Amino acid sequence: MSERSVSETSAKGSVQAAVVRPTIRMVAERAGVSTATVSYVLSGRGPGTKGPGVKAETTRRVREAAEELGYRPNQAARAVRTGKTQTVLLSVTMLQDPWSLEVVEAVSTAARSHDLTPLIMADDDWTIALERTQADAVFIDSVRPEQRPALTKLARRGVRLVVFDSTVEPDGFDVVRSDDLGGCRTLVDHLIDEWDDVALLGPGATDPRRGRAGVFHAALAERGRTAAGNRVADIVGSPGSAYAGALRLLDQEDRPRAVYASSDYIAINAVHAAQSLGLVVGRDVAIAGVGNTLAGERLQPSLTSVGPRELLGTVASIMVDVATGDKPVGALHDFPWEVWERASTHGPA
Amino acid sequence: MSERSVSETSAKGSVQAAVVRPTIRMVAERAGVSTATVSYVLSGRGPGTKGPGVKAETTRRVREAAEELGYRPNQAARAVRTGKTQTVLLSVTMLQDPWSLEVVEAVSTAARSHDLTPLIMADDDWTIALERTQADAVFIDSVRPEQRPALTKLARRGVRLVVFDSTVEPDGFDVVRSDDLGGCRTLVDHLIDEWDDVALLGPGATDPRRGRAGVFHAALAERGRTAAGNRVADIVGSPGSAYAGALRLLDQEDRPRAVYASSDYIAINAVHAAQSLGLVVGRDVAIAGVGNTLAGERLQPSLTSVGPRELLGTVASIMVDVATGDKPVGALHDFPWEVWERASTHGPA
DNA sequence: TTGTAGGCGTTATCAA
DNA sequence: TTGATAACGCCTACAA
């Protein structure tokens, strides 16, 4: 703090204009009606709607008074009464993760159109923060083993959860899962069968046992083959790394005919790298990713990928249903993956 | 929705375990004390702290009862009473923007250590959503002209705002501003004076009138020069684009001696591109960015950049002060920019 | 069609 | 050291 340069404004700027938040009572007084009437009007029981109904003239007076006072209902008080906050909370581990962002985007859009406010929480330890929160529905991005008991506890406390995780079973909360490794295997098999000479690009690429890279090695092994050194590019987190790795694979005389990138993000960088080498993706080299993201679909050429069908949209509507209470909680939503063949792997001419 | 594949669990999984949320009254009953006592204990007025003080034995009984019932205070009810939500809200226009993410990161960390929950809202139109929200402090990322009146309105309603914007004056809310163009000009002048042959890399690079690119052209014009075509690389949003643009500038016989990239993010990609060409950044070519981000500082070699001093940390503590009510609102915080010379531009050997 | 009044779960002010 | 009890702002059955 010692070094900051701050110029405070004169007292004038800091003058606290009377910030008395208008309450429903003040509106009622100003309109010459009771608080109940104000509440009716503002909850949308005008004339014509169902329920008691309020005279048009009264409605007008109330609206006017509320407007003049700049009245906005106190959400906290409303929540105490109704138990609803008109809010959905999205807990994501890493704000940088494009997949999480797509979920956020999808759920946010759906939420807004149902008059729910989407809020995001970025903390890999959601256990403490969620104790406090009071959203109508909470989405959780991923669950570490030690966090699993917390889920049940939260659910028992009445928090309505939707959890994205492959290792957890529903228990008072919804679970969304999706078999990514099976999907990856289908994609790799497909690439090998069609192109034969396939390379791997992704983090942990040299570990034949685990993850999306392991699937590649397993598929080769099953065919009695192993991956040559110049057919595997291990990368780290940064975008430049994916780009550079792709260059390494593709900028050689004897380049592979297809590239399996372990995420769409990586694949997109690979496409850019290939193009910078003057290669026509889909003809000179096939490139496929994992995740079936929008970014990949919109790429030129459109990216072949493997991913769950309709997952985003469905997660969004699950969240809305859970928030509005239209759906009993505790369901398991399993999304099979499938290959989405697009221009980036159009077969050998 | 028609196409989704969902397998619901059996009725067993959906069984609604009695989700009756324990209230403070139940805890009081179970512990054989009054609700007031429970409140004292749980608000941390144990023995030793200031205030009434509660007998150790009673404290123990209350804690036990609360634990057994799995009691958690109802935040909404608490907010009605106290007017505080123990929450700060960060409104960011684009979740993808690394600078916004750094603000989020900085404020979140500070908030957590003061027992405030940071929440993020991603919507370029914050006007409607903020009407509802009930945070103790709200940070706003950027203000479009038509949104300006909304600020004053919110402030008058008692919403405690901290606004980051160069075109707005405090008016019941705090303003954080920072003259980026002036800073950029200082950097460009510095680069031209030291290296003479400087190139420009960034979006809108060919527009000599506006933004961080315009500053570059203005600096040249003032010296009676103009930028040659191979000294300007216009790019678009994607990371690959920055990388490719940098290659275009640097992969020529007659390459520039320095590169002014209009953001740290772009500069980082440029450094990677230079390195992939075998150039030693800082010796063979100087590269500087804008924003003075952590990512740049941590880069190898560390990135020269221009940016505000201590802005992040100060914004974080402003938010905490505003949230806790320690500071009167309505201040103007102006951050001058300065050049941070680091290894990526170490002068000619 | 509108008003009265009770209660949601807390905290805070008193008095005991 | 603890307990009644009155708010906080809102919604809603019920009465008028």
Side-chain angles (χ1 to χ4, degrees), chain A residues 28-56:
Chain A
E29 218 161 301
R30 194 168 229 274
V33 296
S34 77
T35 61
T37 305
V38 176
S39 181
Y40 289 150
V41 171
L42 268 40
S43 318
R45 293 207 208 178
T49 55
K50 75 159 205 176
V54 178
K55 216 188 342 181

Side-chain angles (χ1 to χ4, degrees), chain B residues 208-285:
Chain B
R209 285 160 319 197
R210 278 188 320 202
R212 296 178 181 179
V215 164
F216 174 79
H217 294 285
L220 282 182
E222 205 166 88
R223 290 167 172 79
R225 302 207 243 156
T226 60
N230 67 346
R231 289 297 182 262
V232 171
D234 198 357
I235 66 175
V236 295
S238 81
S241 172
Y243 192 97
L247 284 181
R248 222 158 42 239
L249 289 175
L250 297 175
D251 195 11
Q252 46 185 343
E253 199 66 19
D254 164 37
R255 67 160 184 272
R257 305 202 51 214
V259 175
Y260 159 63
S262 65
S263 83
D264 270 16
Y265 187 58
I266 296 168
I268 290 169
N269 277 280
V271 167
H272 288 146
Q275 289 169 337
S276 81
L277 293 172
L279 300 174
V280 174
V281 174
R283 188 195 66 189
D284 303 330
V285 63

Side-chain angles (χ1 to χ4, degrees), chain A residues 188-189 191-199 208 216-228 231:
Chain A
V188 171
D189 283 342
L191 290 174
I192 296 179
D193 291 345
E194 183 153 6
W195 301 89
D196 192 69
D197 184 3
V198 182
F216 175 80
H217 294 285
L220 282 182
E222 205 167 89
R223 290 167 171 80
R225 305 206 240 154
T226 59
R231 289 295 182 263

Side-chain angles (χ1 to χ4, degrees), chain A residues 10 29 40 55 95 114 126 145 166 176 188 214 216 235 259 301 304 347:
Chain A
S10 63
E29 218 161 301
Y40 289 150
K55 216 188 342 181
L95 274 181
H114 288 257
W126 39 259
S166 301
V176 176
V188 171
F216 175 80
I235 66 175
V259 175
T304 291

Side-chain angles (χ1 to χ4, degrees), chain A residues 205-237:
Chain A
T206 50
D207 184 343
R209 286 159 318 196
R210 277 186 321 198
R212 297 179 179 179
V215 163
F216 175 80
H217 294 285
L220 282 182
E222 205 167 89
R223 290 167 171 80
R225 305 206 240 154
T226 59
N230 68 347
R231 289 295 182 263
V232 170
D234 198 358
I235 66 175
V236 294

